[in-house]
Amino acid sequence: QEHVSHRMQGRIFGMIGVVVVGFTAISTGVTGIVAEIVPMPSVYAVIGMGAAACGLWGWRVSSLKES
């Protein structure tokens, strides 16, 4: 919000929304395909470890804490 003019904020936030929905659809499809091959507990374990790794990375990066 600090780097985008007021005139463009609606367009930027709209684009971010489209990207989030698009990646949600892609990840759901990929998870479905993987679940056909790999048992679901393993899929959940990998997704959980990925989420934990992202959380730890965000916690360690000081510039993210300040924003």
Side-chain angles (χ1 to χ4, degrees), residues 43-57:
V43 174
Y44 285 135
V46 169
I47 291 171
M49 287 187 285
C54 288
L56 288 172
W57 175 74

Side-chain angles (χ1 to χ4, degrees), residues 26-35 38-55:
I26 291 169
S27 66
T28 301
V30 170
T31 301
I33 293 169
V34 170
V38 179
M40 273 311 291
S42 299
V43 174
Y44 285 135
V46 169
I47 291 171
M49 287 187 285
C54 288

